Structure formats: structure tokens, C-alpha cells
Amino acid sequence: MAASTEDDFEFNTQDYYSLLNVGKEASLEELKASYRRLCMLYHPDKHRDPELKRQAEQLFNQVHQAYEVLSDAHSRAIYDIFGKKGLEVEGWEVVERKRTPAEIREEYERLQREKEERRLQQRTNPKGTISVGVDATDLFDRYDDDFEEMPGGGFPHIEINRMHISQSIEAPLTNTDTAMLSGSLSTHNGSGGGNINVTVRRVTSAKGWGELEFGAGDVLGPLVGLKVFRNVTSRCFLTGQCGLQFSPRGLRPSCSLMTARHLDQNTMGYLQWRWGPNSAMTTSLVRDTKSSHFTLALQLGVPHSYLMMSYQYKFQDEDQTKVKGSVKTGWFGTVVEYGAERKISRHSILSATVSIGVPQGVTLKIKLSRASQTYLFPVHLTDQLLPGAVFYATAGPLLAYIAVHRLIIIPYMKTQKEQELELQRKSSATDIAKKKQEAETAVLLMQESVRRIIEAEESKMGLIILNGWYGKFVSDTSQKQEKAKVIDVTVPLQCLVKDSKLILTEASKAGLPGFYDPCVGEEKSLKLLYQFRGVMHQVISADTESLRIPKQSHRIESES
């Protein structure tokens, strides 16, 4: 489920070295010799049939493109590092050509970043939150005497008593400026309100940025705010914020200042001061490692002061399971929370938290995060500390998750994987069919050249390829249901014979003219039966193994 990194480049299946049948260390002279040979074979002017002429032109263009890339030192260096994908990046034409591989890699990453920046300027980044508060206190704190005479009084009364919806989008204006639009709507027990905010952020340097915010709402009135961020040192940063609220009661100014410092590789220390309607001084310590997350915070302020400590353990499994617990105590009382979080699909994370407080009671909080959208469902069970409410808040979600996971999620994920595999098989089959057609066309274009090569080799008892097979071979000890996947490559190999010699490089043979990969992702070999000076020879070579024939060791000893 992990995302792929930027270093996992998508290489094109066509190998230029294999197409020209040269090694990766081939000189310019070797490239020219191979290029001329293939140009003579595939030149469109040699074919009068319109269909053959069209197919020859396609193969000729592929050979020409391979030669253009490998004969240019700069393009060849890029191709060797990033493959054909690297050549498609815009901007190489203005880069100094005398670069080392390390400098080329650095330049590629810079061009990719610029391409990503241009892409970001054309898109938005929507984020949203939907919170639905449920009052289920009637399940545990019910007064039966009040409901005996009411219709439906035998059933607990559960209602939605609050809702909150917020949404925001980002619109990059330039490489340094971004505009953000956000809004929210809230309702609680029949009354509600909303607000809308516009924020413009400018990145002033690699060390800082600033934001200007304008807001309006139907309760508090217009708002103007300013926020700045600055990296003071490599281990310390500072954030400052001030605002002015135009409320019906007059101007309400506010201000906050926060500084943070890296105490070590995994630990951060924060100190925050706020002045305004909720003035406070807060200090916190956060330690985040691969296996755990710990937070300790202390706040002194009006109207609330508190001490809070939380711990989260991260399991090193595929589903990124986490268990967490926290305790918070202050003037408002004491709250203890515990819960778990787990990744249920590629883009979805589900968590459940039980909150037990005095005098808050017992609340079950369910949270679903999918991509950039968050759905919250706080279910208030009781205003008192009742063991039954705590038990059902803990066991209920756990049992429900197990049932949903086994009956819905696992079958759904299995179906998804099967569909992905089927799409991969279809894509692979389409690609193989295309490569097969290209190989058959190449073999058709080789016929005349092969006929001349065979005549020349026979006249001097030279090298004649009797049979050539490429692909996956099945040995006698293999399972009976396993089938061999091989193709006949006799003609392409004979076409490569020059001066009674056949030389193949260590590149995969699937890229050779007249070849294709009959079994993608499986181990392949090349099997040859050839005649040299009237003597039969045989050899089996691995796909990425270099081969030179004829050889005395390949000779088949005749039975006496």
C-alpha cells in the first residue's frame, strides 16, 4: 500500500542497446556500424509493397531514434540513468552538456520539480470535513417514567443534535503565491451559523512565508488577520499571528506567538503565547519515532488551564495499525481517552476513540479519513460514568469492525486485486500482441537479406542457423501442466550473422529486431542449433548473457 517514491522511474520497455545489438560500453564506431546495417535492412525505399513500405518505415524510425540518442553523449548519459522517460522531460536543451552522472541526476530532479510546479498551478487541493454529532444518552440515561405514556416510548430516542461542514480549496497563482478559499456551516440544537474566509499566502524565501486572511460570518462579523512563518535556524522556527474581529460588541483584537525547536532527531519542543478572548501560555513536548508518538502539554490560561499527556504505539504492519491513549486534567475536569486507528484501503483510514470524562460523561468518536476528506461521528452515550456505556463503547466498535472487515472489506479488496490483475493481464496481452506483430513484420522484411546471407555462408561452409528458440523452456522435471512459452527466432539470428560470426550482447534479447518477449516477467533463455563447417553445434544461453558463436565447446559429438 505504500506509495511509490520519485526514484521509481517508469522505464520504456524498448531497449535501445538491444535494438542495435551493441553493449552499453559500445563506441561511436560500433554504433555507426550497427546503425548502417539495420538501415540497409529496414530502409523504406527497398520495398515496393505499400504495406511492407509502411512497416519498414516504422522500424527504420525506431532504429534512427535509438542511434540519435546513443550517438549523442549528453542524451546517452540521460538515457543510461533514467531511460526513455528521462528524455521526455522538458528543459534539457538549455542544460550544459558536459555534466557528470551525479550532476545529470540533480538536473533531472530540478526539471521534475519545475514540471510539478507547473502542474500544481493548474489544479486545486480540496479539503473537507463533515462532523455529525449524535445524542444517544437515551440508551443509558433514560427515565422510563417520562416515556411510558408517549407513542413509541418503548424505544430509545436517538437524535442528531449538531452538524458541522467545512470545505477549502487552494489555487496556486504563481510559483510563490497561493490563494485559499474556505467556508464552514454549523448547527447545534436548531441554531447555527457559518463563515467564509479568503487567504493569500506568499513564500518570501526558502526560510519563510506570510499569509493575509479576510473573513466574514453571520455571528462574529468580519475578520482581518496576518500570519508569518520564519525559520530562525536549521533547528528552530517561529510563527506569529494577529487578527482583528469586527463584532457587534466592538473590535476584538487577538495575537499569538509560537516558537518551536528540534531537541533531537525525533523530539520537538513548542512554546506558545496567546492574547485575546482565550489568553493562555502553552508549552508542549512532542516525540515522534517510527514505532511511537508521545505528547506532553501544559497550558495556563483563562478560562482553561490543563495538563495533558498522550501516547500512541505504531504497529509495523501493512495496515499501519495504531493504538493510542491520553489523559487530560484541568479546571474543566478530567478526560481519559483510548482508541485505535487502522488503514482499511489504499486511501482510507478508520479510527475509533472512547472518551471518558468527569463531568463530560462517555462519548464514542468515530473518524473516517478518505484522501483529503474527513468524516467525524461523535456519539454521546451518557453524561455519567456508567460501566455499561464504557463497555459497549469499547466492544461495540471492535465487534462491528471485525464483522464489516470480514464480510465487506476483505471481499471488496480481493475483488479489487482480481480486477487489477485482470487489467494487467489484458494490458500485457495487448503489449505482447503489438510486439509480436512488430517482430513478424521485421522477420518479413529480413527474408531477402537472410537469403543472401545463407547463400554467402553456404559457399564457404560458414555459419548457418538451423533452429533458434527464445523464451521460457520447460524441463522434463517441470510440472506437466506448465507450458513452454517460446518463439522461433531462426531468421532474426541468421540476419545478425556477419563473416561467419554471431555476437549478442548482455542486453535482453527481447529488444533485438525480430524478437519479442513471449512471457513477460518470467526467466527466459535462448536455444540455438547451428552448423559451422559442416558440423552441428548446440548452445543454450541465458537471456542477459553475452554470446559469441561459433565455439568449439558447442560442438555436438557424433555417435560412433
Side-chain angles (χ1 to χ4, degrees):
M1 293 182 182
S4 58
T5 65
E6 293 295 327
D7 291 335
D8 297 331
F9 301 104
E10 183 183 348
F11 289 90
N12 193 282
T13 55
Q14 188 178 55
D15 185 345
Y16 287 159
Y17 289 102
S18 181
L19 180 62
L20 298 179
N21 191 31
V22 294
K24 290 200 172 184
E25 304 299 327
S27 64
L28 186 58
E29 289 72 22
E30 291 173 319
L31 286 170
K32 286 181 179 179
S34 178
Y35 175 62
R36 289 195 194 101
R37 182 182 175 87
L38 291 172
C39 281
M40 292 177 62
L41 180 64
Y42 296 136
H43 202 287
D45 294 343
K46 294 182 62 178
H47 306 278
R48 295 187 178 183
D49 182 89
E51 182 61 23
L52 286 179
K53 190 178 184 72
R54 184 187 64 81
Q55 294 172 345
E57 188 175 356
Q58 291 179 354
L59 293 170
F60 181 83
N61 290 337
Q62 290 180 14
V63 172
H64 180 69
Q65 183 183 31
Y67 175 73
E68 277 197 333
V69 170
L70 299 185
S71 61
D72 181 85
H74 185 63
S75 298
R76 184 173 179 174
I78 297 170
Y79 178 78
D80 287 346
I81 298 173
F82 302 110
K84 193 175 178 181
K85 186 77 172 178
L87 297 169
E88 297 172 357
V89 176
E90 298 177 358
W92 287 119
E93 61 276 3
V94 297
V95 176
E96 183 184 353
R97 300 178 69 83
K98 295 181 180 179
R99 294 291 186 99
T100 65
E103 290 172 332
I104 290 175
R105 180 176 288 275
E106 182 179 347
E107 194 63 34
Y108 177 87
E109 292 172 352
R110 182 186 70 80
L111 293 173
Q112 284 288 73
R113 286 196 298 271
E114 291 180 357
K115 181 180 178 181
E116 180 68 14
E117 287 175 0
R118 291 193 297 270
R119 187 180 68 84
L120 287 175
Q121 290 177 18
Q122 302 173 357
R123 58 168 286 188
T124 60
N125 184 24
K127 297 180 181 178
T129 300
I130 297 178
S131 178
V132 179
V134 179
D135 183 0
T137 54
D138 198 34
L139 288 172
F140 299 96
D141 288 345
R142 186 178 184 187
Y143 296 95
D144 293 332
D145 294 341
D146 297 337
F147 295 93
E148 286 180 353
E149 299 179 358
M150 293 180 61
F155 297 96
H157 182 65
I158 299 175
E159 65 177 5
I160 296 175
N161 62 352
R162 66 176 66 192
M163 288 188 68
H164 175 80
I165 300 175
S166 64
Q167 187 75 28
S168 68
I169 58 172
E170 295 181 2
L173 305 176
T174 66
N175 288 342
T176 58
D177 298 335
T178 303
M180 290 164 281
L181 177 66
S182 61
S184 65
L185 293 171
S186 300
T187 177
H188 185 203
N189 290 331
S191 61
N195 62 72
I196 186 170
N197 293 71
V198 177
T199 305
V200 179
R201 173 183 291 184
R202 164 163 288 189
V203 178
T204 56
S205 68
K207 293 186 176 181
W209 49 263
E211 280 185 358
L212 188 61
E213 179 184 8
F214 301 93
D218 60 349
V219 178
L220 297 177
L223 166 71
V224 178
L226 177 67
K227 184 177 182 180
V228 294
F229 169 87
R230 179 75 177 177
N231 277 313
V232 182
T233 66
S234 59
R235 299 173 60 87
C236 179
F237 66 85
L238 185 70
T239 301
Q241 186 173 359
C242 60
L244 193 61
Q245 187 89 51
F246 297 87
S247 69
R249 298 181 181 180
L251 296 179
R252 301 176 63 182
S254 63
C255 182
S256 69
L257 188 66
M258 184 190 74
T259 180
R261 180 178 175 82
H262 286 275
L263 304 180
D264 60 35
Q265 184 178 1
N266 303 109
T267 308
M268 288 285 294
Y270 297 88
L271 182 63
Q272 183 181 30
W273 168 76
R274 293 198 311 271
W275 173 77
N278 296 303
S279 299
M281 177 71 78
T282 306
T283 181
S284 59
L285 186 71
V286 179
R287 181 170 178 80
D288 190 11
T289 66
K290 185 178 180 180
S291 60
S292 64
H293 182 92
F294 173 78
T295 302
L296 179 64
L298 173 65
Q299 175 175 300
L300 300 175
V302 178
H304 294 303
S305 296
Y306 66 83
L307 175 67
M308 188 271 291
M309 181 174 64
S310 69
Y311 179 80
Q312 182 183 84
Y313 181 78
K314 307 172 186 177
F315 291 90
Q316 305 304 308
D317 59 354
E318 184 182 1
D319 295 324
Q320 302 177 14
T321 306
K322 302 174 184 177
V323 293
K324 52 190 176 182
S326 68
V327 57
K328 186 175 182 180
T329 182
W331 303 133
F332 54 82
T334 300
V335 177
V336 176
E337 292 188 348
Y338 59 89
E341 176 183 298
R342 195 171 196 184
K343 194 171 186 178
I344 58 175
S345 71
R346 183 177 301 175
H347 304 291
S348 302
I349 298 176
L350 180 66
S351 66
T353 304
V354 179
S355 176
I356 307 170
V358 178
Q360 290 83 0
V362 180
T363 300
L364 170 63
K365 302 175 183 177
I366 299 174
K367 178 181 176 182
L368 175 64
S369 300
R370 180 165 178 80
S372 58
Q373 300 294 317
T374 302
Y375 306 91
L376 298 172
F377 302 93
V379 182
H380 189 53
L381 298 177
T382 175
D383 295 325
Q384 307 175 43
L385 291 183
L386 299 179
V390 175
F391 172 78
Y392 284 108
T394 304
L398 183 60
L399 295 175
Y401 172 77
I402 293 174
V404 171
H405 187 259
R406 292 187 177 181
L407 299 177
I408 299 177
I409 296 177
I410 291 180
Y412 173 77
M413 295 299 294
K414 185 178 179 181
T415 303
Q416 288 289 99
K417 288 182 178 180
E418 290 175 352
Q419 291 176 352
E420 290 177 2
L421 288 173
E422 183 63 25
L423 288 175
Q424 290 177 3
R425 283 193 291 267
K426 289 181 179 179
S427 176
S428 178
T430 303
D431 186 59
I432 290 176
K434 180 181 177 182
K435 295 294 182 183
K436 180 181 179 181
Q437 184 178 4
E438 291 178 357
E440 290 173 348
T441 300
V443 170
L444 199 61
L445 297 172
M446 293 174 183
Q447 295 293 341
E448 183 61 27
S449 297
V450 168
R451 185 185 61 79
R452 292 196 301 267
I453 292 172
I454 292 176
E455 288 178 356
E457 292 295 325
E458 284 179 342
S459 66
K460 57 184 176 182
M461 296 187 68
L463 179 59
I464 306 295
I465 306 297
L466 300 176
N467 278 306
W469 301 95
Y470 173 71
K472 179 183 177 182
F473 295 89
V474 178
S475 62
D476 295 337
T477 57
S478 300
Q479 296 180 355
K480 292 182 179 181
Q481 64 267 29
E482 188 175 9
K483 296 182 180 179
K485 301 175 183 177
V486 295
I487 58 174
D488 187 346
V489 291
T490 306
V491 172
L493 290 174
Q494 185 69 64
C495 193
L496 294 173
V497 172
K498 183 180 180 182
D499 298 330
S500 298
K501 293 179 182 178
L502 174 63
I503 302 174
L504 301 178
T505 67
E506 67 278 0
S508 173
K509 310 304 180 288
L512 289 170
F515 281 63
Y516 70 94
D517 192 343
C519 45
V520 178
E522 299 185 57
E523 188 175 346
K524 293 169 282 292
S525 302
L526 177 65
K527 186 175 182 179
L528 282 176
L529 178 65
Y530 64 92
Q531 181 178 300
F532 180 67
R533 293 180 180 175
V535 180
M536 302 291 288
H537 296 68
Q538 182 174 306
V539 62
I540 297 178
S541 172
D543 184 29
T544 55
E545 179 183 350
S546 59
L547 178 65
R548 296 174 67 96
I549 63 173
K551 271 190 179 182
Q552 184 68 23
S553 59
H554 300 162
R555 184 170 178 172
I556 300 175
E557 298 296 338
S558 60
E559 297 181 2
S560 55

